[in-house]
Each structure stands twice: as structure tokens, then as C-alpha cells.
Amino acid sequence: MTSEQFHLTGKAFDFAIVGGGIIGSAIAYGLVKKGARVVILDGEDGDLRSSTGSFGLIWVQGKSDVGGPMAEWRRRAARLWNTFAQTLTDDTGAALGWQNKGGVHLCLGDEELDTRQALLARQAAQDPDFQYEFLSRTDIARAVGLTPGLRVTGASYCPQDGCVDPLAVLRALRCWLTRKAVFRACVSVDDISPDGSGYCLSTMEGPVRAGRVVIAAGLDSGRLAEPLGIAVPVRPVRGQMLITERMQATLRLPVSGLQQRPDGAILIGESHEQCGLDDTQSMAVMTRQATRATALFPQLAKARVVGGWAALRVVPRDGQPIYSESPGHSGVFTITCHGGLSMATLHAGAIADWISGDIPHPEPAFCSTRFRQTLRTNTSVVEAHS
Amino acid sequence: MIERLTTQLVIVGAGPAGLAAANEASRHGLATLLVDDQPQPGGRLHKRRAGLTCAAGKSGAEIRSGISVFGISDRGSLLAEGPKGCPVLIESDITLLAPGAVERPFLIPGGTLKNVMSASIARRRGLIDALPEQGPVILAGHGPYLLATAARLAALGRPATAVLDTGRPLRFLGGRMLIGPHREKARRALYWMLTLHRHGTRYHHGCTNLHIEGRNGVAHRLQWVDAAGRPQDIAAAAVLLHDGLDPDITLPRAFEVPVHWNGQVFLPETDPNGGTPTDSLWLAGSVQGALGPDASIARGHLAALDICARSGRLSYDEAMNRADPWRRMLTREEDLGRRLASLAIHEQTIHKDVVVCPCQGVTAGMLHAAARKGSPGPNMAQAATGCATGACQGRRCASAMCRVLSAATHQDCEEIGLPRPRQPVRPVALGVLAAFGQTGS
């Protein structure tokens, strides 16, 4: 679509979504299903893309350490995955590699095992629906299909854990959105400004008009959101992954940092490095990942690694999502979080409902007003008011 | 556990360029290590393999075969997998990459059927051994290697039934070729054509719209349109494809050497001596553009002399004097390269059914669809289709992917570019990678 066509579509779009990653796409999916006219403006081919750094685990166990509303939000999101995966497959015909047979977290040494037991006991106390059990070395071999390394003392298994192919999910959403909405790749948004009762986004392909705007641009969200009064204190954390050639069935279940994809390739991840905006691979990290994988399962030493990649993930300052509407510009939203894949169910659901104005904010604790940051807007310095 | 090799100059790739460079550098006193992933040095050479290897060895260079360089450490050392899966760490002051060329896949429908393979792979398997015992063998594509392979088949007593060349006939180069500076090669080419004629191999030029038809997944017939525009077909029991040789830029790109599209292929950015913008890194040989073994040998010598001059082993004047004959040889080969390039007729469109990425089964049609559905760039198309994420990591298909995206988006290949380079650049056993993680390289 040329800029004239953007103009000539007559009515502006109901929603413009900046960012076509897993967060933007899931929100768009939800909004389109509610009957809205949506345009998604995705960035350049070389832009930072956190979605490619997702390992694909929809994990329930051990995810309550942050506590408070985050734990409950995660639980809600994970519980909806079965339905979400089914619906998305029905809508798109795409195979998502969604598996919900449970997941295993290995512990090395006795101390790790004790810590893990305490952690999961606390989680069970908070969440009566949470199921788990601890596995001995023999149990691990039986459940996973490989003998664990000598340093492995035990593992926790949760039948509610699942995993999915993150690129397959993104691909399915994107395909569907190019049919049901307007999906424009390689369109950078320079600026968002009020325009009548809605907003005008200036892009290199001309102006785009929409009633409401959702900024879901990951690490780039602050650039557009902060001038409009939404604080987005996030930092990049690099995650690296390795992938092997296709192999015969080896890992029956996803194990902490290891999973076998439906096509047989084994994915090894996921590292966490603080290195600013550097999204290049570090060989030192790759070799450490390999060391860890072979310590967990020595039989994997013969697997041939054919590739690897790195991506910068988004981590908000306090680890909790940022779901905020601009205080001075109603109808402009910023949605960013860590673990956008797990949250996709709620982004397409409750968040889309809130953005549409159908329900109040589903979790006010996630507003960015909690940061009480001084922001500079285009015209003056304003306090992000409480 | 890790074998540590330390040297002043490491040369990766023991083809004609690597061997020539090792010979030259060693001769001037530079401690030189030449590593190659094949069981023996020589690259694609046959008759001249032994001579060049011997010369390099005699000059004092250490030659190690069976070593596959898969990555670069954060400090710039080379990480490799040695024979029997041993981890090898190579530390050197200067690096010369001579990885050679990869065969350009001839992208026609039916190219991945059984009994269809690249000429290069067939030759590696012993040529005759790779073919069925009986039945018509057809060669298709373009390039000197195609003619050479057909001639070899005839010499081995299993002549091909036909060669379908997409380019113009050799006579377009002119009769003067037989007496000019390229007379040796021209005479050899003529000899090959006569050999083919004698053995009954029909040679067709100007072939277009080729496609291979299969029955039960096995190729059995080739169809094409001849130079006069008439549809033709021929039965085939085996098909060998070859469409030229492209620089293998995977390792140079891992070293962040920039590449540019010259209209047909991505070439790395080097100065006339193979020097690159990256410090202490040179390239030599077919990686600078495939012009045959003589050009590679010349380039190997030129790079080595430049390295010796820069590291003080030779004065610049002496290096230039010694470089003179090699520069003349290279100029001559570049001239021949230009003439041969004029014979090529490049069909730009790739049919939708063609498998562009054999590792992951991605067709041109899938890439077109991805480009239309929000993934028009190389990194996004790679994520969307899985193209170039398999065992070869794009070595065979990244350029083709670029061409397809270029056609789909009406943008030049230079603008589209290639997906970001990734490590490991070669498959490596997880255990070998882990060995480096234990000691911390």
C-alpha cells in the first residue's frame, strides 16, 4: 500500500499497532477478532527483534518467584494456552508444535535440589491448582528418554508445563494478519501525534491515521511512548541459542534449556547476558551452553550443532509487564513485557478487550505510573502522574 | 584435551590458493600453518595436487588435513574440529582465508529428485560410482566445469548422452583464442569438445526453460526449449547439474568482511592483494571470484607476498618485484574470465516449484509468499520459512534466497542483502563445542 492508499482508505483505521513481533501480532489478532480495522506497522529487516529470542517454553513451575500479581497473571496466561493453540491452528491451519505433556527442571547438586523444593513448595502454597512432583535420576531417564549426567541429583516435573515453536506462532499470526488486517513490513514510525479525535503516525511511507495506537515495539517502545507521557524503563538482556541437526526422537519432554522440536532438531538455550544493545553471538557463551548441555545429558555430546543465534529480550525494570495508557493522550497504549510468547493468550484476550475500551485495566499494578519517573515530552517536563 | 596450535600465519583452505600462499609465505621465513577440512590437500585439483602440496611442504609450511574450522573465539582465535572429533584451537597473528568456491545450484524444477545431483558432488564420489550403471546420463547448466565433467565422463568410458548448456557456444570467443595468450586452455576446451563428439555426447547450447520430470520421486526425463525455440525432451537415468562456482563467503562474513552484489554473485571486499578491511585478515583464491586454479595460485602468491611485506619479512620493493609475474598471470586469467562470462546467459526468474533450500525443503514459491506476507527481508524471510537454517546454514542457498526475494520485492540484491552471519559456520559436535567451554578459551 502506498501512502496515497493509506490516505485514500477513507476512514482511518480503528487501531494502529507499532511492532509486528509476538506482542503486537497477538494484540492485533485479538482486536481483529473483535471486528476492528487494524494496521500493523512492522520494522526493518535488520531491526532488533526480541521475538526471535524466545525459547518457546510456556512454563508454569518455578515462575512464582517474582510474586504478587505477576504470578497470578502468568498462571492465567499459561492456562489459556491449550485453547489459544487450538484456535490459532483452526484459524490458520498452521502446525505450531504445541506440546503440553509437562516439563522437567534438572538440579545439579544437593543444594540446588533443596532450593528447588522450597521454591515449588512456596508456589504450591500460593496456587492450589499447581501440580508437581520430584523425580529421581531413574525417573528422569524414564521420563525424558536420556540418562542424566552424574552431577544431576534430581529434577522437578510439572505436568502443566508446555512448549511451542515460537517462530511457527509468529508466522501463523503474521500470515493470518496479512489476510484479515493490513500488515506492513519495513515501515518505521517516526512520530505519533494527535489528529482530530485520533492519532496520526508519521512513517517513511506517509501518514497513517488511527483512532487508537498500540506501541508494541519492544526495546524501541520508549522512543515513541515517552514523549506521550508513558514511562518505559526496560533494559535489554541477550539470549543465545544453539540448534542441532535433525535427529531421531531423543528428548521426550522439554528439559530446562533443552527441547527437541517436532522436526527433530534439538534447541539449546537460553543464556541471559547483560551487554547493552549488542545482539551478536558470543562464542564464549555458546561453548558454556554446550558444556552445560553435555553435563546434563552426556549422550548429547555426539549431536551436531549446525547453527546458533542471539537476540535481545526485553526486561522491564521490576520484571513485571508494562501495560499503560498515556495519561495525557487517551487511546495511546504501550504494551511490553518479558515473555511475550507466554502472555500471548492474555494479549489477544484481556489486553485486547481493555485496549478496545470494553473492560477496565485488567491489572492496574502493571501501569507504568508505578515508576513515578520524570519524563520529558515534546513541549515540557511533566511528572508521570500517579 | 584441546590441541593448541600457535603460528604466525594460519591459512584456512588447502586448495591451489592456500597451497601457493603457504609455499610463498614459508619460503620467506613466516611460520605458516595450513589447515583443510578434506582428507587430503588440493581442493578440486587432480593432476596438480601432488606437485603443489609437495612444494608447500618443502618450503616449511605445516599442513594439517581433516581440520574443520567452525568458529571464531571472542578474541579472534580459530576454533576447529579435528579428525576423530578432537577440539583444536588455532592462534595466529595473521589469518588468510582461502575457502574456495561452492557450486552454484542450477535452480530448475525437479532439481532435488533422486538421481539428480550436482556435478561437484558426483565428482567427489568418484563420478562413475555416483551414477547408475546403465541409462542415459544428462548434464545441464553452464560453465567450464560442466564441459570438463562431461569430458571426464567420456574419458572414463561412460559418456553422457547429452549436455544441455544454457550459454552460448565456445566459438563465440573467436578462433584467435587458439593462438592467443589463452591458447592452452582454449585448445584443451576444443579437445574436450572433440572428445565428446567422438563419444557421441550431443552438446546443445542456448537451452532455456529446463525442467526435470520424475516418476515416483526419481528423475526420468528432461524437458527444455532449444536455441531455435522448439520444445525438446530427452530420457534420463541420471542428471548432473552445474551452474558455475560462487565464492564461499561464509567464513569471511563471520569475520565481518563486507560483501557486495556484482549482478550475479556476492563478492567479498578485498584490495588487489586480497587484503580486507579487517585487521590482519587476507583472502585469496576462488573466494575472490572463481576464475580457475591458475588465478587462485596467482592470488595465493600475491596475498602471501603482501603479508610478508606488511610483516617485515620482505621489503615492499622486493615483494612488488616478486609479485610481478603473478600479477601478470592473474590479469591474463581475469581476461579469460571476462570472455567466458560473455558466454553465459543468465535466466533471472526462478520457477516457484524449485527447491531453493534443500536442507529445509523451502521452495521459491514459499519465499515469494513470505515476502508478500510481511517478511520481505532476508532475516525475516529466514525466520518465516526456515530457509538457510539447516545443515548448510545458507552456504548453498542464501544467494538464491536473495535472488528470489529480489524478484518478489523488485529490489536489487545489493539492497536486500544476506541474512546475518551466524556461528558455528560449520556443523560441530556438541561435545567439541563443550570442550572449549570447560577451559574457557
Side-chain angles (χ1 to χ4, degrees), chain B residues 394-411:
Chain B
R395 181 172 275 107
R396 287 189 286 171
C397 64
S399 284
M401 175 170 81
C402 186
R403 283 165 55 199
V404 174
L405 292 176
S406 166
T409 60
H410 306 294
Q411 281 184 292

Side-chain angles (χ1 to χ4, degrees), chain B residues 5-248:
Chain B
L5 301 173
T6 312
T7 184
Q8 287 175 310
L9 167 65
V10 64
I11 301 175
V12 181
L19 286 168
N23 186 352
E24 186 76 61
S26 258
R27 216 188 303 154
H28 302 298
L30 207 54
T32 305
L33 169 67
L34 175 57
V35 298
D36 190 304
D37 63 348
Q38 294 301 304
Q40 52 169 342
R44 282 199 184 78
L45 292 174
H46 295 283
K47 293 198 191 117
R48 288 193 276 179
R49 178 192 300 268
L52 279 173
T53 308
C54 212
K58 278 213 187 102
S59 71
E62 186 187 350
I63 306 178
R64 294 282 303 268
S65 294
I67 292 190
S68 167
V69 174
F70 68 80
I72 307 161
S73 79
D74 300 334
R75 283 179 320 139
S77 315
L78 298 179
L79 277 64
E81 188 173 21
K84 301 193 188 96
C86 303
V88 179
L89 179 70
I90 304 169
E91 280 158 330
S92 69
D93 303 321
I94 302 167
T95 306
L96 171 60
L97 302 177
V102 279
E103 196 165 41
R104 184 183 313 170
F106 189 32
L107 296 171
I108 56 174
T112 48
L113 288 166
K114 288 211 186 81
N115 284 0
V116 178
M117 70 194 88
S118 80
S120 201
I121 291 189
R123 285 188 91 155
R124 205 177 278 189
R125 290 192 201 153
L127 202 52
I128 299 291
D129 299 331
L131 298 173
E133 280 186 20
Q134 295 172 27
V137 174
I138 313 293
L139 274 69
H142 182 73
Y145 199 71
L146 192 70
L147 175 56
T149 305
R152 184 113 189 94
L153 274 173
L156 290 171
R158 180 80 165 93
T161 306
V163 179
L164 306 179
D165 192 326
T166 59
R168 299 182 182 90
L170 280 174
R171 66 170 183 274
F172 274 66
L173 295 175
R176 281 172 178 271
M177 291 286 288
L178 292 170
I179 52 174
H182 308 294
R183 57 185 172 277
E184 270 185 48
K185 293 203 172 72
R187 289 175 193 181
R188 188 172 56 188
L190 185 60
Y191 172 71
W192 281 342
M193 292 298 287
L194 292 172
T195 307
L196 292 184
H197 183 75
R198 206 168 58 238
H199 282 89
T201 303
R202 300 278 307 280
Y203 208 104
H204 304 269
H205 286 102
C207 305
T208 55
N209 294 74
L210 285 92
H211 64 273
I212 307 171
E213 284 204 0
R215 205 191 284 132
N216 298 327
V218 179
H220 76 111
R221 202 162 65 130
L222 246 125
Q223 292 181 322
W224 78 98
V225 173
D226 70 13
R230 293 180 301 237
Q232 304 281 354
D233 68 89
I234 191 166
V239 183
L240 298 185
L241 300 177
H242 175 85
D243 200 29
L245 293 170
D246 287 347
D248 184 356

Side-chain angles (χ1 to χ4, degrees), chain A residues 104-123:
Chain A
V104 175
H105 177 101
L106 298 177
C107 299
L108 298 169
D110 290 323
E111 205 184 305
E112 254 188 53
L113 197 54
D114 293 337
T115 316
R116 189 78 185 165
Q117 276 164 342
L119 176 72
L120 297 191
R122 277 199 306 272
Q123 184 170 357

Side-chain angles (χ1 to χ4, degrees), chain A residues 45 49 171 174-175 178 185-186 246 268 279-284 286-287 290-291 294 300-301 303-308, chain B residues 72 74 79 81 359-360 373-380 383-384 393 420 422-423 427-431 433-434 436-438:
Chain A
D45 187 68
R49 287 178 187 279
R171 207 179 304 147
R174 188 169 284 216
C175 248
T178 52
C186 303
R246 295 190 202 160
I268 300 163
D279 70 341
T280 57
Q281 289 169 286
S282 152
M283 182 52 82
M286 287 165 61
T287 56
T291 307
T294 49
L300 289 179
R304 298 197 66 76
V305 177
V306 295
Chain B
I72 307 161
D74 300 334
L79 277 64
E81 188 173 21
C359 296
Q360 303 286 56
K373 290 185 186 150
S375 303
N379 290 294
M380 293 312 289
Q393 289 286 291
R420 290 179 65 178
R422 294 169 163 192
Q423 296 201 64
V428 56
L430 190 62
L433 197 53
F436 290 105
Q438 266 141 12

Side-chain angles (χ1 to χ4, degrees), chain A residues 87-106:
Chain A
T87 313
L88 187 54
T89 302
D90 291 340
D91 284 342
T92 63
L96 305 176
W98 164 244
Q99 228 198 81
N100 199 3
K101 299 188 299 191
V104 175
H105 177 101
L106 298 177

Side-chain angles (χ1 to χ4, degrees), chain B residues 274-335:
Chain B
T276 69
T278 310
D279 203 33
S280 302
L281 179 73
W282 274 258
L283 303 185
S286 294
V287 68
Q288 296 172 281
L291 293 177
D294 288 331
S296 290
I297 289 168
R299 282 167 167 162
H301 282 281
L302 290 171
L305 287 167
D306 194 38
I307 289 169
C308 288
R310 296 268 200 101
S311 50
R313 297 278 158 184
L314 284 175
S315 70
Y316 275 96
D317 281 340
E318 226 205 310
M320 267 184 40
N321 284 337
R322 288 173 183 272
D324 246 359
W326 301 115
R327 199 164 295 294
R328 278 199 300 275
M329 184 161 149
L330 181 58
T331 306
R332 198 185 71 212
E333 295 303 308
E334 283 170 343
D335 176 62

